[in-house]
Each structure stands twice: as structure tokens, then as C-alpha cells.
Amino acid sequence: MIEALRELARRLLAEERVRVVIGYGQSSPQGPVHPLFITRAEDAEQLVWNRQCFSNLTAYLTRKDVRALGPAAVVVKGCDERTITVLEKEAQLERERVFVVGMVCEGMGDPGLPKCQVCDRHRPRLADETLGEAVDREVPALERYAALEAFLARPAEQRMAYWQEELARCVKCYACRQVCPLCYCERCIVDKNRPAVIDTSATLKGNFAWHITRAFHLAGRCVACGECARVCPVGIDLTLLNQSLARAAEEAYGFRAGEDPRVEPLVGSWSPQDREDFIR
Amino acid sequence: MTAPPVSADPATAPNLYLPDLMEVLEVQQHTADTKSVRLRFRNEIAAKRFSFRVGQFGIFSAFGSGEATFNICSSSTWKDYIEFCFRRTGMVTDALWEVDKDDTIGFRGPYGNGYPMEKWRRKHLIFLGGGIAMPPIRCAIWYALEHRDEYGEITIIYGARSTKDLVFADDLARWAQYDGVQVIRCVDPGGETPDWDGEVGFVPEVLKRADVRSDNSVALVVGPPIMIKLTMPLLTRMGLVDRDIYTSLESRMKCGVGKCGRCNCGPVYLCKEGPVFTLEQLKALPNDY
Amino acid sequence: MSQNNGFDPKIIAYVCNWCTYLGADLAGTNRLEYPASVRIIRLPCTGRIDFHLIVKAFESGADAVLVSGCHPGDCHYTAGNFHARRRWTLFRALLDVLGIEMDRIHFTWISAAEGRKWQEVVTEITEKTKALGPYRAYRRICEGGA
Amino acid sequence: MSHAIRKEALRALVGSWLAEGKRVAGPVAVGPGRVLYQPLVSPERLLLDGFIRTVNSIKAFVFPRHEELYAYRFRGRQVELIDAPLPEEEQIVIGARPCDAAALPVLDHVFRWGTPDRSYERRRELTTVVTLACREYDDHCFCTSLDSGPRDERGSDVLLVEIDEETYEVVWLTSKGKDLFVRHTERADRKGTIGTGPKRKFDAAALERFLAENFESPVWETFALRCLGCGACAYDCPTCHCFDIVDEGDRHGGMRVRNWDSCQFALFTLHASGHNPRTAQAQRIRQRIYHKFRIYPDKFGDTLCTGCGNCSRGCPVHLGIRPVLEAISALERKPQSAPPKTP
Amino acid sequence: MARIGVFVCWCGENIARHVDVEAVASGAATLPGVRTALSYKYMCSEPGQALIRRKIAEEGLDAVVVSACSPHMHLRTFRRAAEGAGVNPYRVEMANIREHCSWVHHDRGEATAKAADLVRMAVAKARLDRPLEPICVPVARRVMVVGGGVAGIQAALDVADAGHQVVLLEREPSIGGKMAGLSETFPTLDCSQCILTPRMVEAAQHPNITLHTYSEVEAVEGFVGNFRVTVRKRARYIDVDRCTGCGQCWNSCPSKKNPSEFDYRLGQRTAIYIPFPQAVPARPVIDKDACIKLTKGKCGLCAKRCEAQAVKFDDEDRLVVEEVGAVVVATGYRLYDPRTPAAADGISGYGEYGYGKYADVIDSLQFERLASASGPTAGEIRRPSDGAVPKSIVFVSCVGSRDPAKGLSYCSKVCCMYNAKHAMLYRHKVHDGAAHVFYMDVRAGGKNYDEFVRRAIEQDGARYHRGRVSKITEREGKLIVRGVDTLAGEAITVEADMVVLAAAIRPAEGVERLAQKLGVGYDAFGFLSESHPKLRPVETNAAGVFVCGACQGPKDIPESVAQASAAAAKVLALFSRDELSRDPEIASVNELTCAACFACERSCPYGAVERAELRNGRGEFLKRTARINPGLCMGCGTCVAVCPSKSVDLDGYSETQVYAMLKSLT
């Protein structure tokens, strides 16, 4: 599989179908795996593929300096590829300028990440070329949201207490934002100050406002790649927030972000039949 | 080895960031988006303690919105008030735009090195300014005019995008009244009006055209990066040496006292070792400002 | 729950200009009395009301928030309230997981003809909020510091 | 002969400090494999081994991420200023890593440069740092490459060095530190010993040479594509100290506060005019390296880095300083060769 | 610094009784930006307005806050007053301390405190009001009337006679609408076609009217004064310009057994046909599903017979764009379908009446055709099943109407009248026939209406039973109608040869889609919403779009015609202006920070967001951005809410203003 990947990268670069291949690299065999940008065919052997390839590389597709390189190929896992659909819907990339290399994935990490436990996209579906063989396991929605369910089982006061303790640790390093493939705004709303929408201070107030905003801006968009939580230096489990929205979208509108390129984005579309049991 | 003993006793040391409260004496609007404000210390003692060198800057507070850095554009010889000039570009300047006579704003400073007016004595002075960069020149001009006999001929070339963008137009007129002072106002091509009696063209061109005395001269050039870039070589060609060509750098600053790391540029912290540099020093700086 | 009678709740109401605002006007015209707890912020349409406004309301010390606009189909701008409805559905899920007290956030459709409903709604949420007491949890967040 | 303390005795001592109402902070596990310096509520939560390094640093205890500078009240058209109260509470940081403690004297330079920063000074006075010499290290550690090491004493008031499973040697370095421990240690005939720490990863001298010439160099581009431009490296760093000043308040008044900031953010240097001297991530990475390894040393004689490796450890894409410095010293070893084409 | 004047109104006792207006004023005087604050008995009175104007002059005010009644009441008044004194009208705010305060809070302390808050909020907002200028847009003096029924025809003729161009759109092959199919009309019993046909012809021949039959609205762009309506002209398979309407084609068409839409399936027509003899235009269409040539490829007789060679089997739908300044919607109604099960829209039927099951249970429009001289039975009342003359007919009122259980709660308004008419017509034609009418109430409001009903009962012997029909079954060719007579308080059963259901009136098929295209609101039943039920009955909330006839609610002919003329009058008023000024409180994009995700575009109800490119002075491409078309934006602000980077803002309700108002409450 890894050889196939390197071969494909070589080909794409040699045939000048793309100018850069965004993949995974590793400085030393036991060292951590990190994003890697291959611009010369002969460097393709630096690419790696193993259970440490956590990053969702599609985050780089919208970056100015990466775009400047020209057409790109990006290595994606089943969970990552959905962002491409969303980005396309939101006019952030021209699908034809991106060559999507899908990697069949048995799960990342050892033991696999929580998201991998309930993964139903071991094999990418939207890729231009997919490497590896595996079958998908349909995961019932309930199972996908088991962690959320468990959390929601706690009484509201406890949930509030939990977040007060967790968010108290947030230092506003914005790793969650920077790593998110769908946080592509040129000027993040938290940096807006005429008027200031969110306190920039890493206080509970500012942190609640920030994390509510970050999560809600992903409503109907988040594809649950889980990068925001993975990279949080102080270990705040942001996936709970994202999931609450994802589940609401699935429950209320049968919508899963990035799932179907033909479906219009959730926010910004509507139906007269939309539920409103909470509106008096 | 452990840390050296603390230099000052924090118990008695003043709070670096605590501003003085200033009373707004007067607000003057210059263009659609620039105003200058005249301030007086509300606290007598602070007023007496205070002194500054032209070219230094202050950090001004609109309480509730924050602080912003501006050059003190009045002359250090004017004792009972200071002035600063700002363009409306952000949250703080939005708030400053709202201030009116008798309102209160905060002031910290003076900060920075300022102009070596003593070193400039007995020299001809060339002031070149563009747009909103007039204030940092204005303070020096007034200083020089207040010590008229200590300085040689004075040439002032000030350019703005259009006639509507000239700040301190009234000062320009008054300066022209002084002996040995040449004031050349110019606007970018297209920025003139039918009744415009100044020059038309960019500052560097106008400088080329103008008859400016360049022997035994120092020049102060303040303006947008592009203008500085184009003007400096002309001055060199006119025979000025790098250490006689001065400029004042704009920078994003927060603390003003060399701590917040914001204004760091290569080896220097602009807030403490700047903002005034000679071309000589500028050439030594990395291109990071 | 205690009937904190000493406490008069601060309730921010974001209402649309064409239905609920006029509904409240009608309540006035008909002299329908209700508690003086609500402060209305008039916006053109519920479509304009974003989640930040709800957060901001709590940040500015609101004990409850009311969001109200035209009934589905009646929107002055045809679809603003449909857009809003979808966002609210999602936003409530987020607030719920955060443990925000959901009975401090109220959504209603009140038409220009429903002065009585406006009266009922305001009276009801005022009582409810009184019963709940001040929104201490969010105050704590705002004063929590770092 | 040396002073020693048994581990459970140490824990008990911590308990007694807490009982006295002292503010005590130390490493605490906040999640799987994630340890942070946190205020301690009970001695049991204190974590002394089983991890390489905390994610954050102890700088937060002398330079909080959010700090009131003073308050203001509106009085009609007048304003009343209320100076922020000076910190009063003594605090003890226990189980600090040497690379954390060593950062404090380095930070002193800038906070004392010219006019001293009052609250910083005060907190420094009130803080006693009890450091635990490192027995373990990982790929990210590079203290030894910066003439520091697993038992660097800089910035510590007390240094604990493990003698065996049960005991630490207690080396007090300041009277403050001695006072804390003097009546609680026992005599021991053995001294604590630890290894030499991580192998040198680059040559500081070579780095110096490189920085002298290469402000403009393709090497800065090398990692720019990968860098996401977040502030994790700066906020996890024991020496990064950039800050922002903002107002927070309502219509009656409010506070002027200072918050941590990072030179890695695109807007960090954005001027009011719209001009931004550092528009590219490469320039921002360069600035961080220069500030730490050239500007700061030139000004204050100390490198603004203790080799803790946190910037790499906490980096979403495992970047941070070390890979950059390694790349540089690789260049220096064979100066003529071009930097690696592929980032 | 803003220079704001605050003017607190007593409204006589209305406000002053419960609010300490003096306290409110003196409190306001201390607010930042306020230069003067005073109270007065009646601010809206001429002296009150004069006071405002004087203070503006004296204090050099640049913004005004009037603390009085609802802005819906007097904002215009005070804007005009302030403008008169040189203050930009969009820098005038109102604090509603009457409707929202003094009238609803009677505790003086509380009311005063709230009033003070409301004023503080208004001042905070006024400080940040930008001076705005109304947006001026030209008016295309050309109207499109959608729907060629009697209402549409009337509106079209009125506008056309006034000298303006009209585009008349009709979905069916001929104009005329429902009225063309009616027999006689109440209360005068004059022949429907006799009065309508001349108007149809007049419309068709009017030099100012362009007729699009067999056509529908495909898409609508633009805004009041400047609509671009794309019309889909369905394939007719006939070259209308060549066709002379001679009739050779339909007389020769072999496919004859197609149910006639015009006769509501009671009659038959050929595959190439005109819906009815007086159709306008008198040009046939080919039913492509019935035509043998189009289905099987054979035949083509009509083409052979057509001397004008007007038949073209390769015809296709065509899209034409009409540019108009206003649109009149007159799409009329359809009848409620009394069948079960429930339709998609949740409107269920009356299975127990056997409509669709028993051939002789028909609806009222079908009966109109039976009674019409041009109908399938040439005006003789014969029942569909066997063509026999029914000896007794039961007319059932309120089938669907006034029955929330079936999903329709409203009264269809015209049924009572036409039931009486039907009973009458039947008795006139079948003298020995028995006419039974089951009714809930008889609603005969209107000139000569009640008299008409009484005539039916008293002179023509219609038998009225007050009560609902519970069930209709069939036994030996007879319909057994079971019901109750609530007056007699007994169950009654009538043996009938035919049953006529007065099915409820519902808006025409697909009117919701049209409404969405036009940006017009509609109620739960699909009837279009007027701007104001009393004062703006033919206007809608979409500027430049007007409604008339049954699309707005059940109506009879005179009402529809009256409303049509009203709509025409509104159109003419609009056309009397060279340009329109529109409210400038609209959205705008900060193009530098816009991330070009176009969430705004997706959520804009008016398609006012455009995808644009930002270029520098030298025309070099900088970035993509969203841009608001000020002509289209109606200022709802939905874009502001969905913009993740808050790069869109809305004048008059800007982010800064809303936050400032919140802050003013801290």
C-alpha cells in the first residue's frame, strides 16, 4: 500500500498533474508522523502510511501558501475526505484542482481512536484513486454518538460544572481552529473587534464564548475528524460539542456533513416541515 | 546560580501600565477620518513631572476600548498641553473619534527615543512627510521654529493623496510665514481641485523638482513605506549621508516599555530603541518592520 | 423551588419587527398588563438573530432570553424564520450539551394579531425565571476569570 | 552527606503546606497521558513521575495568561482608575522540571529591563520553586544542546534529585527554599544521581554562526507550509512572554488586562495602517527563532529557550523549535549544500 | 461625539400616568452623547415637532431619540420632522415607552425604570446610526398579471386602458379561468360566459396587452420596478401565428375520447383541441399524452388537414424573459378534493361521501358544467352515470370548509350562494325534481344575496336541511344520503339520484412555489398574504407584487373584480413615478474579511448576494468576495446571522448597535 502510494505520488508529480503531494512523513522510524509536502517526484519515498497518520491533511488545501504551489494531491482517510465535499460546497476549492488520494484505513492509533471504533468509512468513497482493500461497516447512529449519550446522561448542572472545569484550562492557543479544515476564514470572528464578538481573554467567559462559537460555526459542517480535540494541548474533549450538533443534524434533518455532494449545506437551506417542537 | 536580586521594590514601584488621566481641551477634525486632540493632565503633580522630547510617542487610552500608540505631535516646548493626531482605523480610534471637549482619556509615556534636536542644531532641515505621517514631523517643525535661530533653512515637503487628505493645513500656512522656511504642499495626480495652489505629484518627484538646500542638512522622512523607499535614495544623491537621514517607524505596540514583544524588529525593540532611526541604522536592521 | 419574590429577572427579548414587535404593540393597545421584566431589542427578522446574541445576552447578565418572530409562512421576508428555526434547533443541542439551563431560553412565534399571546408568554417566562432565580451559573462563568 | 526526604514524607509535607493555606501547584494528570501544572487541591493528585514533562510551563505562576493591570470606572465624563492590588499569596511550585525553573531567571531580564514589571516581580518573590531533576527524557528534549541539563539549578529554590525508589536528595539553593524543607529532611549518606540527559541534538555555536548571516534564507520556508500558525508552541513554552493588552467591561467601567499572545499569529504585527511586516508564516517562524537565539541573547546574555521541547511536544504537527534547529545545524555542517527541498 | 437630543413624550396621560417622564428625561440627559433631553405633552403634535426642530437647530443635534409610542406609529413622523431640521432621518430612533411600557405596566416605579432602560437603549443605538440616503431605482412601466381569470383580465384591462404595457400570463390554453365554465351567476342569474367572453376578447385584442397562454412563471429575478420574469411557454405543437383557428384539425382528430379538463371530466375532447368554443386565443393545443402522432408516431391527420400548416409536432417548451416593474398575482382557486386519503399537505377528504366512487356524486363546478348551455349536456341536467335526468338532487354545503378536522378551518364564502343558485337552476330545468340542501348556516351577506337565497327556498322550493351529511351510500342506482336535521333534531335520509358537493375553495395548484419565487408570504392554507388585512389588502410584503381574486382568499366574482381594479390602481400609482426610493437599511459586506463561503448567498431570500472579485487599483485580482446588490436587498439580515466571520452587517441594526444596546442594559 505504501509503495502504491509513493508510486502514485511519483506519477502525479512526474506527469505534472499536481505540483505538490500533501501526505505523511516521519523524521525517524519511531518519531512522530507529521504532514509532509512532496514537490519533487524523487522525494516521494519520504511518504509514509501507518497507524500514526492522524492529521486531516485537507486542512492545508485552503491555505494561501499551499494553493500558491498549484494543483495539489492530498492523502485522505475515509473520515477526512468529507471535508472536501464541504469545502467544495462552500466554494473553497475547485474539486478538479485537487487530486484526492484515498487510503483505506483500519483505524489510527493503537488502540484505535474513539472515532475509529465507530468508523463507517474505512474505505474512502470520494477519492480520485483509492489504495487498499477493505469493506465498510455500517455503524448505527446511536453507536456513533454513544460517548455523547453517556455524557448527556449526566444532569445539566454536572455538565455545566464539567465544562467550567475543562474550559478553565483553555489558553486560547487556537490549535483547534488552526487545525480544522473548515476553519478557513481570512479573519476569524474572534479577531474581530469592531465590535468585539468574543472576549479574546482566556477567561471562562471568553473561553465559553469561543468554544460555543467554534462549535456552532461547524454546525452541519463538522465531519468529525476529531482533529480539534486531538491537538488540544490541555486535553479538552471538543468532540462532545461537535457531536451534539452532528447528532442534532442527523436526528432532525437526516443530514450528515460531507456525506453526499448533492445535498445542499444544512445551514442556509430549510423546509417548511422542519421540526419546531421547542417553539411555542 | 539563581536570579539576581530584584532591582526595584515592587511594593513601592509604580504600575507601569497605569496611565495618567487627561482632560480633552480641544478636538480638531482634519479630514474625513483624522482628528487631533489637545490634552491636559488632570493631575497637577503629574503635569509638573512630565516632560518629553519631540519624536517620542505616547500610549493613549479610550477606556472601555483600549490603548493605541501615537506620536506626540505637539512641540515639547509647549508646556500646558500635549497633542496627538489619529486616523480612524480600528476599535480604539473609533472610540477616540467620539471624544469631545471635557472628556477623559488616558495617557502613558513619553516612550521611545525621539529626535536628536540638539544634534541638528546649526543645520539646514528638510522635512518630508506623507499623508497621516505629518504629525511626527509637525512636532519637530514646531520645535525648530520655536528655536528658529538655532537652525538653518527649513524645507517642508508634505504630500497627501488629495487636497481632502491634508492634515494640519492651517499649520502649513503658518509655517510658510517664517523666514527661511519653504513649505511645499503636494497632492497625488488626480487629487487636486481646480483651486489647488500647491504642487501636483508624489513627494519624491516634487523633491526632485524642488530647489532644496542639501549641504550641511539633515532630513526627516516620515510616510508610507513606499514613499520612504523612494525618497531615501534621492536624499543620498543630494549628498546627505545616511546618518543625517532620519525616519520614524510605525509599529504595532502594546506595552511601550519593551516587554510585550510586539514591536521587536531584529535586535531592537522599536518602543524603547526607536521609533526614530537614521538611514544608517535602518540599513542595519533586518527587513522586518 | 423558591419563589424568589425579591428578585426581578432581567429578560432580553429579540423580536422581529413585523410580527412579534407588532404583537407587543397590540398588547399595549389592548392594555394587556404583564410584568416589566422584558427588554425588547427590535430586529428586522428572526433571520437576523444569531446565536451570538443569545450568548451576549447572558454575558450581559440576562436571566432569560426570548426569541420571537412571525409564524412559519408569515415571514415578512418569506423565509427568515425558516432559516432561524433550523439554526435554533441545532444551537439548542449545543447549549444542552454545555449544560446551559434550557428553560432560560424561549422561542415563540407571535403574530401581529397575538397581543394576548405576547402577554401570556412574557408573564409565563417571567414567572418561570423568577422560580429559577438569577442565572448564577453564567454569572460565575463571566466572573470566573482565568 | 546530604539532605534527603522520603517520597511519602514529601507528599505529607505538601499536604501540610496546603493545610496551612499555602497556594501549592504541581504536575497533575488531566487526562490520558496529559499532565499539567495545576494548583493542587490535595497532595494525592500531585504527580512526581511516570511522565516526561507537563504540557504547560510554570511561567503561568509568575506571568498569568490573564492578568488585571488596573480597573477603571466611568464617573460622568471623568474616569476613576483603581490600581490592581499587588499579589499577596505565597505560592510553592513543586515538581517543576529544571527546564521550567531555568526559564524564570531568563524571563527576569525582560520583565526588569529598564522599568521593572511590578506584578511579575512580586510574583517572583512570592514563588518558591521546588524542582525535580529529570531521570527520563524523550526525543523532544534538547536541554543538553543549550548547555543546560537534567539537573540545571537555575531558577530553582530547591532541587530534588532521586536517590532511590523511596527517597529524594534535597538540595536547597536559596534561603527561601531552605526554610521550606530544613526541618523536614533527614541526613542521608548517598547523593541523588541522574543520567546525562538527552544526547546533544545540534550545535549551539553553529546555530549562532548561521543566524548571524541567514536572516534571509530558504530554510525559513522549509517548515512554513507545515506550520498551522497556532499559538500552542508559545503558550506551552516556559520562556515565551509576548502579551496583549485589552479592555473588558460594561457601561459602568471595567478592567484593563493583559493576555498571553503569540508571534505565530498572523495578526500579531498587523499595523493600524493595514501594513503587516510579517505576512508569511515563514517570517513568523524566523522571528520566533531569532528572538530566542539571537535577539534575546544579544540583549540580555541568555538564550530565550531552555530546551524543554514543549513546543514540539505540544505542536499539532510536531514542529516546534527542535526540527528547525536540527535542519539549521545540518546546513551548517555542510554549509555549501542547499536546504532540503522538501519540507 | 454624537450630539443627541432626547425627547420624551407624555402622550397626554397615556404615558405620563404610569411613567415619570420628567425623571426619564433628566436621566437621559446624563447619557454619553446626549446634549439635551426634555419632555413634552404631545411630541407628535405640530408644536411638539416644532420643539424638536428648534432644539436641533439650537443644540446642533445630529441625532434624535423620541421616547414615545411605537415606531410603527410615528417613526416616519419624527424622521420627517428631524429631516426638516437637517438631521439625517436614519439618525432618528424611537423608544417605545407607550405600547411597550406605560400601557402594559401600571406600577409607576417599574414602568419608569423600564422606560429609562428603553431610552438608554435607543440612545446607545442612535449614537451608532450612520446617516443614510434612500436608494433610488428606476421603474419599468410594464406589469405582469399572473392568471387569466376574471380577476386577471380585469386587472390587465384596467392597466392597459391607462396606457401601460401588460403581460397577461395564463397556465391553461385559454384565458377565462373558472368563470368561463360557470353557468349563470348569482344573484342576477345572468349568463357567465355572456359577460366574460367579450372581456376575454378585449384583453386578447388590446394593443397594450401581450398574452402568454399555456405558460407559467419559471423564475423571477429583480425587485420592485425592475423584475425579470422568465416565462415558460409550454409546447403547444401549434404555430399560433399561422393558425387561423378554423377547426379542421380538431374535427379530424381520431383521438376523441379524452376527458375534458374544462368540463371537469364530464365531457370529452380530442387530442388536438381548444378547451371550449369561445376559447381565447381560439388556437388549439395538442395533448401530447393523447396525440397518436406524438405517442405512437403514426397519424398526423391534423397536420395534413391544416391548410395553414400550423401544426408542428417538434414544438418544444420555450423560455421568454419579460421585464416588468410590477406583478399582479391572480392565480385564483381550485376545488378541494373530497376524496380520502389525506393529500400530501395533510388535507384529508370525505371518503364517506363516495366522491370518485359513485359517478353521480359530483362537485359544484361539475354541476356548473351540467347546467351550462355550452356544457357536455348542452345545459340539460343529466347525471353522469347513465345520462338520466335526476329526479332528486342533494346539495351538500361545507364539504371541507369550516372543518378543522379536515385541515380547512375557513369558510369558502361562495358556496351558500351557489348552492341556492344550483337548487334554483335545477328546479327551473327539472320542475318535478326535488332539491335538497344540507347546510351548516346560510351566509348570504351581500347586495340582494339573502333575497336570492330566500327566493330559492320560497319560490323555487329548495328544501333546506340544517345539518351535516354523515354518509352517502348507493342502493339500486339510488344514492342514500344520511344526515341530521339539527333543527328538527332528527336523523334524516334522502334518496337522491345525484349529489353535489360544495367542496371548499383552495388556492390554485402550485401557488406556494410561485409565492416563493416572488417572495410573497402565504398562510397555512396557501392563500397569499396581503400586507395588511384592512389597510393594504392588495399589496404584499414583496414590494411591487400585488394580489387580487381568490388566490388571496375565497371570493365571489364582484369581489374579485373589485380587488382586481384595486390592484390595478396600485400598479398605476407605482407607475406614476419615474423612480422609486427604497429603504437604505440594507446589508453590506466587508470584502476584505469575507471568506467567500457564500453562506449569505444560500440564505438570502432575495438572491441579493452576488459572487464578486476584489481587485486592487491596478485591477489585479486580490480575492473572491460576496457582494450585496443594494437593489435586491430588503434588509432582513439573515446574511448577517449566518456569516461566520461576521463580514456582513446591516445598517440600522448593525452588530455594533445591537451590542451597544445590550451593553446599555448592564
Side-chain angles (χ1 to χ4, degrees), chain E residues 644-661:
Chain E
S645 61
K646 280 279 175 281
S647 296
V648 195
D649 211 341
L650 180 62
D651 268 315
Y653 305 89
S654 72
E655 290 282 288
T656 338
Q657 289 179 301
V658 178
Y659 292 171
M661 289 165 86

Side-chain angles (χ1 to χ4, degrees), chain E residues 267-529:
Chain E
Q268 292 172 335
R269 58 157 175 81
T270 47
I272 183 167
Y273 69 102
I274 54 172
F276 55 102
Q278 308 85 338
V280 171
R283 301 284 179 271
V285 296
I286 295 181
D287 173 349
K288 66 177 192 308
D289 304 321
C291 171
I292 301 166
K293 175 72 173 175
L294 289 172
T295 50
K296 306 201 174 54
K298 296 195 277 323
C299 186
L301 255 176
C302 48
K304 296 192 190 74
R305 289 293 169 77
C306 179
E307 285 149 10
Q309 295 173 338
V311 180
K312 42 176 192 177
F313 291 111
D314 61 352
D315 196 11
E316 283 177 342
D317 288 10
R318 279 185 303 122
L319 296 180
V320 295
V321 173
E322 295 286 2
E323 306 207 331
V324 297
V327 177
V328 174
V329 184
T331 47
Y333 69 98
R334 67 179 140 157
L335 281 194
Y336 158 83
D337 181 345
R339 266 169 298 208
T340 41
D345 51 16
I347 311 280
S348 66
Y350 288 81
E352 61 272 34
Y353 288 179
Y355 179 84
K357 179 163 157 216
Y358 309 129
D360 297 331
V361 179
I362 63 172
D363 67 33
S364 323
L365 280 176
Q366 288 175 310
F367 186 83
E368 289 287 348
R369 294 310 297 147
L370 290 181
S372 165
S374 71
T377 56
E380 292 181 33
I381 309 296
R382 296 181 172 282
R383 64 183 201 176
S385 56
D386 55 7
V389 174
K391 288 289 168 239
S392 81
I393 302 184
V394 170
F395 298 92
V396 186
S397 303
C398 295
V399 178
S401 312
R402 305 174 63 194
D403 188 352
K406 302 293 186 194
L408 303 173
S409 52
Y410 57 86
C411 166
S412 291
K413 199 169 183 188
V414 294
C415 324
C416 288
M417 292 309 295
Y418 69 63
N419 270 332
K421 181 187 77 181
H422 288 170
M424 227 181 248
L425 293 174
Y426 170 58
R427 294 273 298 159
H428 292 175
K429 293 172 189 256
V430 185
H431 304 299
D432 58 347
H436 297 269
V437 179
F438 282 82
Y439 70 99
M440 306 276 290
D441 308 283
V442 172
R443 299 185 164 176
K447 194 174 178 184
N448 298 327
Y449 281 17
D450 200 59
E451 298 87 325
F452 183 77
V453 175
R454 208 169 297 117
R455 220 174 91 204
I457 299 169
E458 293 164 3
Q459 296 177 22
D460 297 316
R463 290 184 229 162
Y464 271 59
H465 311 282
R466 188 180 193 285
R468 272 198 180 282
V469 166
S470 55
K471 197 165 180 39
I472 298 171
T473 52
E474 194 175 27
R475 197 192 313 129
E476 293 113 30
K478 287 243 177 248
L479 294 164
I480 313 302
V481 181
R482 294 196 179 73
V484 283
D485 188 321
T486 52
L487 297 179
E490 60 192 17
I492 50 172
T493 305
V494 181
E495 278 204 350
D497 299 321
M498 188 156 95
V499 174
V500 180
L501 304 178
I505 281 186
R506 300 188 56 202
E509 183 68 47
V511 71
E512 291 93 341
R513 284 196 304 286
L514 178 65
Q516 284 163 20
K517 286 173 189 161
L518 288 165
V520 174
Y522 48 90
D523 65 18
F525 311 109
F527 288 114
L528 302 183
S529 313

Side-chain angles (χ1 to χ4, degrees), chain D residues 247-306:
Chain D
D247 284 14
E248 289 177 351
D250 56 27
R251 73 185 181 100
H252 306 287
M255 280 194 309
R256 183 151 291 167
V257 301
R258 86 165 143 200
N259 295 324
W260 287 356
D261 205 342
S262 165
C263 60
Q264 296 305 289
F265 294 140
L267 300 181
F268 185 71
T269 49
L270 178 66
H271 296 181
S273 65
H275 168 67
N276 189 344
R278 300 187 201 122
T279 48
Q281 200 57 34
Q283 298 169 311
R284 299 191 274 270
I285 293 174
R286 174 179 67 189
Q287 164 65 15
R288 189 152 188 268
I289 300 288
Y290 262 88
H291 196 206
K292 288 182 173 298
F293 296 96
R294 182 170 169 86
I295 299 164
Y296 206 84
D298 286 358
K299 262 199 155 36
F300 305 118
D302 267 328
T303 303
L304 191 66
C305 174
T306 61

